[in-house]
PDB file of all heavy atoms in Angstrom:
ATOM      1  N   ALA A 261     -40.639  -3.573  -7.298  1.00  0.00           N
ATOM      2  CA  ALA A 261     -39.984  -2.295  -7.568  1.00  0.00           C
ATOM      3  C   ALA A 261     -38.774  -2.106  -6.659  1.00  0.00           C
ATOM      4  O   ALA A 261     -37.712  -1.643  -7.098  1.00  0.00           O
ATOM      5  CB  ALA A 261     -40.968  -1.149  -7.391  1.00  0.00           C
ATOM      6  N   GLN A 262     -38.905  -2.470  -5.405  1.00  0.00           N
ATOM      7  CA  GLN A 262     -37.786  -2.308  -4.472  1.00  0.00           C
ATOM      8  C   GLN A 262     -36.653  -3.270  -4.794  1.00  0.00           C
ATOM      9  O   GLN A 262     -35.474  -2.909  -4.731  1.00  0.00           O
ATOM     10  CB  GLN A 262     -38.290  -2.510  -3.043  1.00  0.00           C
ATOM     11  CG  GLN A 262     -39.277  -1.434  -2.591  1.00  0.00           C
ATOM     12  CD  GLN A 262     -39.802  -1.650  -1.190  1.00  0.00           C
ATOM     13  OE1 GLN A 262     -39.263  -2.446  -0.427  1.00  0.00           O
ATOM     14  NE2 GLN A 262     -40.862  -0.946  -0.829  1.00  0.00           N
ATOM     15  N   GLN A 263     -37.006  -4.498  -5.171  1.00  0.00           N
ATOM     16  CA  GLN A 263     -35.987  -5.482  -5.525  1.00  0.00           C
ATOM     17  C   GLN A 263     -35.193  -5.051  -6.751  1.00  0.00           C
ATOM     18  O   GLN A 263     -33.947  -5.047  -6.739  1.00  0.00           O
ATOM     19  CB  GLN A 263     -36.648  -6.841  -5.787  1.00  0.00           C
ATOM     20  CG  GLN A 263     -35.683  -7.933  -6.247  1.00  0.00           C
ATOM     21  CD  GLN A 263     -36.410  -9.210  -6.645  1.00  0.00           C
ATOM     22  OE1 GLN A 263     -37.607  -9.364  -6.414  1.00  0.00           O
ATOM     23  NE2 GLN A 263     -35.684 -10.136  -7.244  1.00  0.00           N
ATOM     24  N   LEU A 264     -35.897  -4.673  -7.807  1.00  0.00           N
ATOM     25  CA  LEU A 264     -35.220  -4.251  -9.030  1.00  0.00           C
ATOM     26  C   LEU A 264     -34.467  -2.937  -8.826  1.00  0.00           C
ATOM     27  O   LEU A 264     -33.376  -2.740  -9.358  1.00  0.00           O
ATOM     28  CB  LEU A 264     -36.229  -4.112 -10.160  1.00  0.00           C
ATOM     29  CG  LEU A 264     -36.886  -5.403 -10.652  1.00  0.00           C
ATOM     30  CD1 LEU A 264     -37.881  -5.105 -11.776  1.00  0.00           C
ATOM     31  CD2 LEU A 264     -35.851  -6.411 -11.117  1.00  0.00           C
ATOM     32  N   GLY A 265     -35.069  -2.025  -8.049  1.00  0.00           N
ATOM     33  CA  GLY A 265     -34.409  -0.747  -7.781  1.00  0.00           C
ATOM     34  C   GLY A 265     -33.092  -0.929  -7.054  1.00  0.00           C
ATOM     35  O   GLY A 265     -32.080  -0.295  -7.400  1.00  0.00           O
ATOM     36  N   ASN A 266     -33.071  -1.774  -6.037  1.00  0.00           N
ATOM     37  CA  ASN A 266     -31.833  -2.027  -5.295  1.00  0.00           C
ATOM     38  C   ASN A 266     -30.775  -2.666  -6.191  1.00  0.00           C
ATOM     39  O   ASN A 266     -29.572  -2.371  -6.064  1.00  0.00           O
ATOM     40  CB  ASN A 266     -32.113  -2.928  -4.094  1.00  0.00           C
ATOM     41  CG  ASN A 266     -32.885  -2.223  -2.999  1.00  0.00           C
ATOM     42  OD1 ASN A 266     -32.868  -0.991  -2.902  1.00  0.00           O
ATOM     43  ND2 ASN A 266     -33.583  -2.969  -2.170  1.00  0.00           N
ATOM     44  N   PHE A 267     -31.214  -3.540  -7.093  1.00  0.00           N
ATOM     45  CA  PHE A 267     -30.278  -4.181  -8.011  1.00  0.00           C
ATOM     46  C   PHE A 267     -29.631  -3.146  -8.929  1.00  0.00           C
ATOM     47  O   PHE A 267     -28.412  -3.155  -9.135  1.00  0.00           O
ATOM     48  CB  PHE A 267     -31.013  -5.241  -8.835  1.00  0.00           C
ATOM     49  CG  PHE A 267     -30.155  -5.928  -9.846  1.00  0.00           C
ATOM     50  CD1 PHE A 267     -29.216  -6.874  -9.468  1.00  0.00           C
ATOM     51  CD2 PHE A 267     -30.279  -5.627 -11.204  1.00  0.00           C
ATOM     52  CE1 PHE A 267     -28.416  -7.499 -10.408  1.00  0.00           C
ATOM     53  CE2 PHE A 267     -29.484  -6.258 -12.149  1.00  0.00           C
ATOM     54  CZ  PHE A 267     -28.554  -7.200 -11.749  1.00  0.00           C
ATOM     55  N   ILE A 268     -30.436  -2.235  -9.464  1.00  0.00           N
ATOM     56  CA  ILE A 268     -29.903  -1.201 -10.352  1.00  0.00           C
ATOM     57  C   ILE A 268     -28.943  -0.281  -9.599  1.00  0.00           C
ATOM     58  O   ILE A 268     -27.861   0.062 -10.098  1.00  0.00           O
ATOM     59  CB  ILE A 268     -31.061  -0.402 -10.976  1.00  0.00           C
ATOM     60  CG1 ILE A 268     -31.821  -1.279 -11.984  1.00  0.00           C
ATOM     61  CG2 ILE A 268     -30.553   0.878 -11.650  1.00  0.00           C
ATOM     62  CD1 ILE A 268     -33.113  -0.664 -12.484  1.00  0.00           C
ATOM     63  N   LEU A 269     -29.309   0.118  -8.395  1.00  0.00           N
ATOM     64  CA  LEU A 269     -28.429   0.997  -7.612  1.00  0.00           C
ATOM     65  C   LEU A 269     -27.099   0.322  -7.305  1.00  0.00           C
ATOM     66  O   LEU A 269     -26.048   0.987  -7.281  1.00  0.00           O
ATOM     67  CB  LEU A 269     -29.129   1.422  -6.325  1.00  0.00           C
ATOM     68  CG  LEU A 269     -30.332   2.359  -6.489  1.00  0.00           C
ATOM     69  CD1 LEU A 269     -30.940   2.685  -5.126  1.00  0.00           C
ATOM     70  CD2 LEU A 269     -29.934   3.639  -7.209  1.00  0.00           C
ATOM     71  N   ALA A 270     -27.127  -0.981  -7.082  1.00  0.00           N
ATOM     72  CA  ALA A 270     -25.883  -1.704  -6.829  1.00  0.00           C
ATOM     73  C   ALA A 270     -24.973  -1.678  -8.052  1.00  0.00           C
ATOM     74  O   ALA A 270     -23.752  -1.524  -7.933  1.00  0.00           O
ATOM     75  CB  ALA A 270     -26.184  -3.137  -6.410  1.00  0.00           C
ATOM     76  N   ARG A 271     -25.565  -1.820  -9.240  1.00  0.00           N
ATOM     77  CA  ARG A 271     -24.772  -1.766 -10.473  1.00  0.00           C
ATOM     78  C   ARG A 271     -24.185  -0.365 -10.665  1.00  0.00           C
ATOM     79  O   ARG A 271     -23.047  -0.212 -11.076  1.00  0.00           O
ATOM     80  CB  ARG A 271     -25.641  -2.127 -11.692  1.00  0.00           C
ATOM     81  CG  ARG A 271     -26.328  -3.484 -11.637  1.00  0.00           C
ATOM     82  CD  ARG A 271     -25.382  -4.665 -11.827  1.00  0.00           C
ATOM     83  NE  ARG A 271     -24.575  -4.952 -10.662  1.00  0.00           N
ATOM     84  CZ  ARG A 271     -25.059  -5.516  -9.543  1.00  0.00           C
ATOM     85  NH1 ARG A 271     -26.345  -5.801  -9.420  1.00  0.00           N
ATOM     86  NH2 ARG A 271     -24.256  -5.780  -8.535  1.00  0.00           N
ATOM     87  N   LEU A 272     -24.968   0.659 -10.376  1.00  0.00           N
ATOM     88  CA  LEU A 272     -24.488   2.025 -10.562  1.00  0.00           C
ATOM     89  C   LEU A 272     -23.406   2.393  -9.561  1.00  0.00           C
ATOM     90  O   LEU A 272     -22.552   3.239  -9.838  1.00  0.00           O
ATOM     91  CB  LEU A 272     -25.660   3.004 -10.448  1.00  0.00           C
ATOM     92  CG  LEU A 272     -26.654   2.984 -11.606  1.00  0.00           C
ATOM     93  CD1 LEU A 272     -27.834   3.892 -11.308  1.00  0.00           C
ATOM     94  CD2 LEU A 272     -25.984   3.400 -12.911  1.00  0.00           C
ATOM     95  N   GLY A 273     -23.431   1.767  -8.393  1.00  0.00           N
ATOM     96  CA  GLY A 273     -22.415   2.054  -7.390  1.00  0.00           C
ATOM     97  C   GLY A 273     -21.018   1.686  -7.824  1.00  0.00           C
ATOM     98  O   GLY A 273     -20.028   2.196  -7.271  1.00  0.00           O
ATOM     99  N   ASP A 274     -20.916   0.809  -8.839  1.00  0.00           N
ATOM    100  CA  ASP A 274     -19.619   0.392  -9.367  1.00  0.00           C
ATOM    101  C   ASP A 274     -19.309   1.033 -10.719  1.00  0.00           C
ATOM    102  O   ASP A 274     -18.302   0.694 -11.342  1.00  0.00           O
ATOM    103  CB  ASP A 274     -19.579  -1.134  -9.523  1.00  0.00           C
ATOM    104  CG  ASP A 274     -19.724  -1.861  -8.191  1.00  0.00           C
ATOM    105  OD1 ASP A 274     -19.230  -1.338  -7.181  1.00  0.00           O
ATOM    106  OD2 ASP A 274     -20.339  -2.947  -8.176  1.00  0.00           O
ATOM    107  N   ASN A 275     -20.185   1.923 -11.186  1.00  0.00           N
ATOM    108  CA  ASN A 275     -20.026   2.492 -12.520  1.00  0.00           C
ATOM    109  C   ASN A 275     -19.308   3.841 -12.414  1.00  0.00           C
ATOM    110  O   ASN A 275     -19.890   4.845 -12.001  1.00  0.00           O
ATOM    111  CB  ASN A 275     -21.402   2.668 -13.167  1.00  0.00           C
ATOM    112  CG  ASN A 275     -21.315   3.019 -14.637  1.00  0.00           C
ATOM    113  OD1 ASN A 275     -20.692   4.008 -15.018  1.00  0.00           O
ATOM    114  ND2 ASN A 275     -21.934   2.191 -15.473  1.00  0.00           N
ATOM    115  N   GLN A 276     -18.050   3.861 -12.821  1.00  0.00           N
ATOM    116  CA  GLN A 276     -17.234   5.050 -12.636  1.00  0.00           C
ATOM    117  C   GLN A 276     -17.692   6.230 -13.488  1.00  0.00           C
ATOM    118  O   GLN A 276     -17.610   7.385 -13.056  1.00  0.00           O
ATOM    119  CB  GLN A 276     -15.764   4.724 -12.937  1.00  0.00           C
ATOM    120  CG  GLN A 276     -15.126   3.779 -11.945  1.00  0.00           C
ATOM    121  CD  GLN A 276     -15.212   4.300 -10.519  1.00  0.00           C
ATOM    122  OE1 GLN A 276     -14.868   5.451 -10.232  1.00  0.00           O
ATOM    123  NE2 GLN A 276     -15.683   3.463  -9.597  1.00  0.00           N
ATOM    124  N   GLN A 277     -18.209   5.976 -14.680  1.00  0.00           N
ATOM    125  CA  GLN A 277     -18.688   7.084 -15.508  1.00  0.00           C
ATOM    126  C   GLN A 277     -19.919   7.731 -14.880  1.00  0.00           C
ATOM    127  O   GLN A 277     -20.046   8.961 -14.864  1.00  0.00           O
ATOM    128  CB  GLN A 277     -19.017   6.607 -16.919  1.00  0.00           C
ATOM    129  CG  GLN A 277     -19.394   7.754 -17.848  1.00  0.00           C
ATOM    130  CD  GLN A 277     -19.802   7.297 -19.234  1.00  0.00           C
ATOM    131  OE1 GLN A 277     -19.933   6.096 -19.490  1.00  0.00           O
ATOM    132  NE2 GLN A 277     -20.003   8.245 -20.132  1.00  0.00           N
ATOM    133  N   PHE A 278     -20.822   6.910 -14.375  1.00  0.00           N
ATOM    134  CA  PHE A 278     -22.007   7.445 -13.705  1.00  0.00           C
ATOM    135  C   PHE A 278     -21.607   8.292 -12.501  1.00  0.00           C
ATOM    136  O   PHE A 278     -22.115   9.409 -12.308  1.00  0.00           O
ATOM    137  CB  PHE A 278     -22.916   6.299 -13.263  1.00  0.00           C
ATOM    138  CG  PHE A 278     -23.971   6.700 -12.267  1.00  0.00           C
ATOM    139  CD1 PHE A 278     -25.088   7.410 -12.665  1.00  0.00           C
ATOM    140  CD2 PHE A 278     -23.832   6.387 -10.916  1.00  0.00           C
ATOM    141  CE1 PHE A 278     -26.057   7.794 -11.749  1.00  0.00           C
ATOM    142  CE2 PHE A 278     -24.799   6.763  -9.990  1.00  0.00           C
ATOM    143  CZ  PHE A 278     -25.911   7.473 -10.410  1.00  0.00           C
ATOM    144  N   LEU A 279     -20.700   7.792 -11.686  1.00  0.00           N
ATOM    145  CA  LEU A 279     -20.277   8.530 -10.491  1.00  0.00           C
ATOM    146  C   LEU A 279     -19.593   9.841 -10.871  1.00  0.00           C
ATOM    147  O   LEU A 279     -19.812  10.875 -10.228  1.00  0.00           O
ATOM    148  CB  LEU A 279     -19.337   7.658  -9.644  1.00  0.00           C
ATOM    149  CG  LEU A 279     -19.955   6.371  -9.078  1.00  0.00           C
ATOM    150  CD1 LEU A 279     -18.879   5.535  -8.390  1.00  0.00           C
ATOM    151  CD2 LEU A 279     -21.082   6.683  -8.107  1.00  0.00           C
ATOM    152  N   ALA A 280     -18.793   9.815 -11.936  1.00  0.00           N
ATOM    153  CA  ALA A 280     -18.100  11.029 -12.369  1.00  0.00           C
ATOM    154  C   ALA A 280     -19.071  12.056 -12.925  1.00  0.00           C
ATOM    155  O   ALA A 280     -18.912  13.266 -12.707  1.00  0.00           O
ATOM    156  CB  ALA A 280     -17.042  10.675 -13.419  1.00  0.00           C
ATOM    157  N   ALA A 281     -20.098  11.601 -13.642  1.00  0.00           N
ATOM    158  CA  ALA A 281     -21.026  12.523 -14.299  1.00  0.00           C
ATOM    159  C   ALA A 281     -22.025  13.136 -13.332  1.00  0.00           C
ATOM    160  O   ALA A 281     -22.494  14.262 -13.552  1.00  0.00           O
ATOM    161  CB  ALA A 281     -21.772  11.801 -15.418  1.00  0.00           C
ATOM    162  N   THR A 282     -22.373  12.425 -12.266  1.00  0.00           N
ATOM    163  CA  THR A 282     -23.460  12.882 -11.391  1.00  0.00           C
ATOM    164  C   THR A 282     -23.006  13.299 -10.001  1.00  0.00           C
ATOM    165  O   THR A 282     -23.678  14.086  -9.351  1.00  0.00           O
ATOM    166  CB  THR A 282     -24.527  11.786 -11.241  1.00  0.00           C
ATOM    167  OG1 THR A 282     -23.948  10.650 -10.568  1.00  0.00           O
ATOM    168  CG2 THR A 282     -25.063  11.353 -12.589  1.00  0.00           C
ATOM    169  N   LEU A 283     -21.895  12.763  -9.503  1.00  0.00           N
ATOM    170  CA  LEU A 283     -21.417  13.034  -8.143  1.00  0.00           C
ATOM    171  C   LEU A 283     -22.578  12.941  -7.140  1.00  0.00           C
ATOM    172  O   LEU A 283     -22.958  13.912  -6.487  1.00  0.00           O
ATOM    173  CB  LEU A 283     -20.765  14.419  -8.078  1.00  0.00           C
ATOM    174  CG  LEU A 283     -19.489  14.561  -8.925  1.00  0.00           C
ATOM    175  CD1 LEU A 283     -19.071  16.013  -9.037  1.00  0.00           C
ATOM    176  CD2 LEU A 283     -18.350  13.734  -8.316  1.00  0.00           C
ATOM    177  N   PRO A 284     -23.155  11.745  -6.999  1.00  0.00           N
ATOM    178  CA  PRO A 284     -24.391  11.602  -6.216  1.00  0.00           C
ATOM    179  C   PRO A 284     -24.207  11.860  -4.727  1.00  0.00           C
ATOM    180  O   PRO A 284     -23.189  11.504  -4.138  1.00  0.00           O
ATOM    181  CB  PRO A 284     -24.804  10.150  -6.473  1.00  0.00           C
ATOM    182  CG  PRO A 284     -23.547   9.460  -6.875  1.00  0.00           C
ATOM    183  CD  PRO A 284     -22.723  10.473  -7.590  1.00  0.00           C
ATOM    184  N   ASN A 285     -25.211  12.496  -4.148  1.00  0.00           N
ATOM    185  CA  ASN A 285     -25.285  12.713  -2.710  1.00  0.00           C
ATOM    186  C   ASN A 285     -26.432  11.875  -2.140  1.00  0.00           C
ATOM    187  O   ASN A 285     -26.216  10.984  -1.315  1.00  0.00           O
ATOM    188  CB  ASN A 285     -25.486  14.200  -2.422  1.00  0.00           C
ATOM    189  CG  ASN A 285     -25.471  14.522  -0.940  1.00  0.00           C
ATOM    190  OD1 ASN A 285     -25.268  13.647  -0.102  1.00  0.00           O
ATOM    191  ND2 ASN A 285     -25.685  15.780  -0.597  1.00  0.00           N
ATOM    192  N   LYS A 286     -27.666  12.139  -2.624  1.00  0.00           N
ATOM    193  CA  LYS A 286     -28.833  11.353  -2.245  1.00  0.00           C
ATOM    194  C   LYS A 286     -29.520  10.873  -3.527  1.00  0.00           C
ATOM    195  O   LYS A 286     -29.611  11.632  -4.498  1.00  0.00           O
ATOM    196  CB  LYS A 286     -29.826  12.197  -1.432  1.00  0.00           C
ATOM    197  CG  LYS A 286     -29.249  12.829  -0.167  1.00  0.00           C
ATOM    198  CD  LYS A 286     -30.285  13.745   0.479  1.00  0.00           C
ATOM    199  CE  LYS A 286     -29.712  14.488   1.670  1.00  0.00           C
ATOM    200  NZ  LYS A 286     -30.716  15.436   2.246  1.00  0.00           N
ATOM    201  N   ILE A 287     -30.001   9.632  -3.517  1.00  0.00           N
ATOM    202  CA  ILE A 287     -30.646   9.067  -4.702  1.00  0.00           C
ATOM    203  C   ILE A 287     -32.070   8.652  -4.373  1.00  0.00           C
ATOM    204  O   ILE A 287     -32.308   7.950  -3.377  1.00  0.00           O
ATOM    205  CB  ILE A 287     -29.854   7.866  -5.252  1.00  0.00           C
ATOM    206  CG1 ILE A 287     -28.442   8.281  -5.642  1.00  0.00           C
ATOM    207  CG2 ILE A 287     -30.576   7.272  -6.471  1.00  0.00           C
ATOM    208  CD1 ILE A 287     -27.605   7.163  -6.255  1.00  0.00           C
ATOM    209  N   PHE A 288     -32.995   9.091  -5.195  1.00  0.00           N
ATOM    210  CA  PHE A 288     -34.377   8.642  -5.094  1.00  0.00           C
ATOM    211  C   PHE A 288     -34.459   7.261  -5.720  1.00  0.00           C
ATOM    212  O   PHE A 288     -33.961   7.049  -6.821  1.00  0.00           O
ATOM    213  CB  PHE A 288     -35.299   9.616  -5.828  1.00  0.00           C
ATOM    214  CG  PHE A 288     -36.767   9.386  -5.596  1.00  0.00           C
ATOM    215  CD1 PHE A 288     -37.429  10.051  -4.575  1.00  0.00           C
ATOM    216  CD2 PHE A 288     -37.488   8.505  -6.384  1.00  0.00           C
ATOM    217  CE1 PHE A 288     -38.782   9.849  -4.347  1.00  0.00           C
ATOM    218  CE2 PHE A 288     -38.837   8.294  -6.179  1.00  0.00           C
ATOM    219  CZ  PHE A 288     -39.488   8.968  -5.144  1.00  0.00           C
ATOM    220  N   PRO A 289     -35.069   6.283  -5.051  1.00  0.00           N
ATOM    221  CA  PRO A 289     -35.075   4.915  -5.572  1.00  0.00           C
ATOM    222  C   PRO A 289     -35.681   4.825  -6.969  1.00  0.00           C
ATOM    223  O   PRO A 289     -36.637   5.535  -7.291  1.00  0.00           O
ATOM    224  CB  PRO A 289     -35.941   4.153  -4.554  1.00  0.00           C
ATOM    225  CG  PRO A 289     -35.888   4.978  -3.308  1.00  0.00           C
ATOM    226  CD  PRO A 289     -35.779   6.400  -3.767  1.00  0.00           C
ATOM    227  N   PRO A 290     -35.132   3.954  -7.813  1.00  0.00           N
ATOM    228  CA  PRO A 290     -35.668   3.795  -9.168  1.00  0.00           C
ATOM    229  C   PRO A 290     -37.138   3.412  -9.171  1.00  0.00           C
ATOM    230  O   PRO A 290     -37.599   2.621  -8.341  1.00  0.00           O
ATOM    231  CB  PRO A 290     -34.807   2.668  -9.760  1.00  0.00           C
ATOM    232  CG  PRO A 290     -33.512   2.754  -9.013  1.00  0.00           C
ATOM    233  CD  PRO A 290     -33.896   3.159  -7.622  1.00  0.00           C
TER     234      PRO A 290
END
Side-chain angles (χ1 to χ4, degrees):
Q262 294 179 14
Q263 177 187 350
L264 293 180
N266 289 337
F267 178 74
I268 290 170
L269 292 179
R271 303 287 76 73
L272 289 174
D274 297 326
N275 190 303
Q276 293 303 310
Q277 185 183 7
F278 165 75
L279 297 174
T282 65
L283 295 168
N285 184 2
K286 303 175 185 177
I287 300 183
F288 190 92

